[in-house]
Amino acid sequence: MIRLNDFERQWREIGADAHTAFERVGASGWYILGRELDLFEGALAGWWGLPFACGVASGLDAIEIALRATGLAPGGAVLTTPLSAFATSLAVVRAGGRPVFVDVDASGLLDLELCEAALRTRRDIRHLLPVHLYGHAMDLDGLDQLARRHGLTVVEDCAQAIGARWHERPVGSAGRAAATSFYPTKNLGALGDAGAVLTADPAVAETARVLRHYGQAATYEHRELGLNSRLDEMHAALLRSALLPRLAGWTARRRAIAERYRAGLAHPAIGVPPVPAGSRSVWHLFPVLLDAARRDDLRAHLRARGIDSGVHYPKLIPHQEAWRRAGAAPAVVGSLANAERFAAGEVSLPIHPYLADDEVDAVIAACNEWRPAP
Ligand SMILES: *Cc1c(COP(=O)(O)O)cnc(C)c1O
């Protein structure tokens, strides 16, 4: 079976280092907010090229904390994408804001020209929450210009794009803050839930640290109505000692697999969306695009050959049941036609770093030999 992720193979590589890290934390007798978290935050910030990292309990919390720490006002409108993990918009609501959706471009990422148009009609929007989807970097200069023209605060969702660059600039460097996730399937995936907020702004970093720890500015002094969202010492040690040192190698392997797919896939009914101009992508996923009516046929054909596939994402965020149940109709500016095309026709091919070349070739052959039902 060729799977979307292969945690057994990963464990065979990282297991010994993970045991050493766990032994170190266990023997230290200190499990929350200690030296391991400090060391990991320093290592992550250095690796990323941003001054401050703040470890939290999940990617969802990282986005919520980043929005709150950058001053999202109660009821504040946040311009964002309909094509992402639901967590992106859920974080907006949990931070007290309201998402406003505009369409994506041909790569599946928030369309900055449509954002510009939406911002001219919706003067109340003060926050922008772009997502570097599929591991692609959005146009960071474009984000800067949009922010400057409209006085926006940008928070970047980097959950799928750790290490991605737009030309030389790392994702996360256009916004006041960035959020990422260490959910097991992510490019830097832990053995459970974890996430981080990154920022160049010392005040944002300080507020994020306060928010993750019940809003405590000092012991029993609560400055904010915070969360319990601390990244524990076990995970900090695992991330720093067993996982982060391997991320560059894993990313290189993902890039090599993406190149192999892009050179080998040659079926007229399987479209490969363009890589955004300037993006040095980290290929969290490898999306292809089909006519909606043919998606299930391709996925069944791959399954019959022992190949797993995914869909990211089958239902747009504003169309989820949760909004109706909460009595909050989400705001949409313009049509979501491109996002609908992805929701109806996207298929994600396996691209984890433990895939061997012959497995990638087997996926390519299965795709190219597919005979869609007429
Ligand atoms: C995974 C993901 C999240 C949520 O991260 P969790 O750690 O699962 O809470 C948010 N945004 C995007 C784009 C993601 O892929």
Side-chain angles (χ1 to χ4, degrees):
M1 197 71 199
I2 298 179
R3 287 179 284 180
L4 282 177
N5 295 285
D6 198 327
F7 299 117
E8 286 83 1
R9 288 186 199 175
Q10 184 186 47
W11 180 252
R12 285 201 285 278
E13 186 189 348
I14 69 165
D17 290 341
H19 278 290
T20 307
F22 295 156
E23 172 63 32
R24 191 168 74 235
V25 175
S28 80
W30 192 282
Y31 304 138
I32 295 282
L33 293 183
R35 182 180 144 77
E36 291 291 345
L37 182 58
D38 284 347
L39 289 171
F40 171 60
E41 288 176 340
L44 180 67
W47 191 91
W48 202 301
L50 282 169
F52 304 102
C54 172
V56 299
S58 71
L60 170 67
D61 285 0
I63 303 166
E64 175 186 345
I65 289 170
L67 289 167
R68 291 181 62 180
T70 57
L72 177 64
V78 179
L79 196 61
T80 191
T81 172
L83 184 71
S84 182
F86 189 72
T88 305
S89 289
L90 182 55
V92 172
V93 175
R94 292 197 9 182
R98 289 174 298 118
V100 178
F101 299 99
V102 297
D103 205 3
V104 300
D105 61 18
S107 304
L109 285 76
L110 191 63
D111 187 315
L112 294 186
E113 283 175 25
L114 296 179
C115 286
E116 173 74 50
L119 288 161
R120 273 192 242 112
T121 63
R122 288 282 309 253
R123 299 274 177 195
D124 60 313
I125 296 173
R126 301 261 60 91
H127 259 81
L128 180 66
L129 176 57
V131 179
H132 301 285
L133 197 70
Y134 302 140
H136 296 315
M138 292 182 60
D139 174 351
L140 299 186
D141 283 356
L143 287 175
D144 281 345
Q145 285 159 17
L146 207 57
R148 218 173 306 116
R149 266 201 302 279
H150 297 276
L152 299 176
T153 299
V154 178
V155 170
E156 295 171 70
D157 180 342
C158 301
Q160 300 191 0
I162 187 165
R165 285 174 185 268
W166 188 76
H167 296 286
E168 295 308 310
R169 294 177 64 186
V171 294
S173 63
R176 280 278 304 288
T180 198
S181 164
F182 309 122
Y183 183 79
T185 63
K186 301 292 156 82
N187 289 25
L188 183 62
L191 305 187
D193 279 306
V197 176
L198 289 113
T199 181
D201 184 331
V204 170
E206 208 265 330
T207 303
R209 291 206 162 82
V210 167
L211 283 170
R212 76 173 170 192
H213 190 37
Y214 318 124
Q216 279 187 112
T219 307
Y220 303 129
E221 291 296 330
H222 295 265
R223 191 179 83 195
E224 309 271 353
L225 298 174
L227 299 75
N228 175 352
S229 186
R230 300 168 299 231
L231 176 61
D232 62 73
E233 293 285 284
M234 282 282 189
H235 263 110
L238 173 77
L239 281 157
R240 178 174 65 89
S241 302
L243 303 174
L244 186 60
R246 295 186 161 93
L247 180 55
W250 287 332
T251 300
R253 182 64 193 143
R254 286 177 184 272
R255 286 180 170 146
I257 296 169
E259 277 317 303
R260 213 171 175 89
Y261 277 140
R262 288 165 59 79
L265 287 173
H267 194 296
I270 301 177
V272 179
V275 176
S279 172
R280 291 166 65 198
S281 305
V282 294
W283 297 101
H284 174 60
L285 297 167
F286 191 91
V288 296
L289 208 47
L290 291 93
D291 280 349
R294 286 174 164 170
R295 175 161 70 187
D296 290 347
D297 192 59
L298 174 65
R299 298 193 70 204
H301 167 78
L302 293 175
R303 206 173 305 118
R305 299 247 187 142
I307 299 165
D308 270 349
S309 64
V311 172
H312 297 88
Y313 292 89
K315 190 186 273 193
L316 298 184
I317 293 172
H319 298 168
Q320 294 288 349
E321 168 84 1
W323 306 108
R324 198 185 56 74
R325 290 177 67 89
V332 175
V333 180
S335 110
L336 301 181
N338 277 340
E340 297 284 11
R341 276 199 311 126
F342 276 85
E346 193 270 353
V347 174
S348 299
L349 302 179
I351 192 165
H352 65 79
Y354 293 95
L355 277 180
D357 281 349
D358 64 332
E359 292 174 312
V360 179
D361 291 344
V363 178
I364 293 169
C367 287
N368 290 346
E369 288 159 20
W370 173 50
R371 295 287 165 266

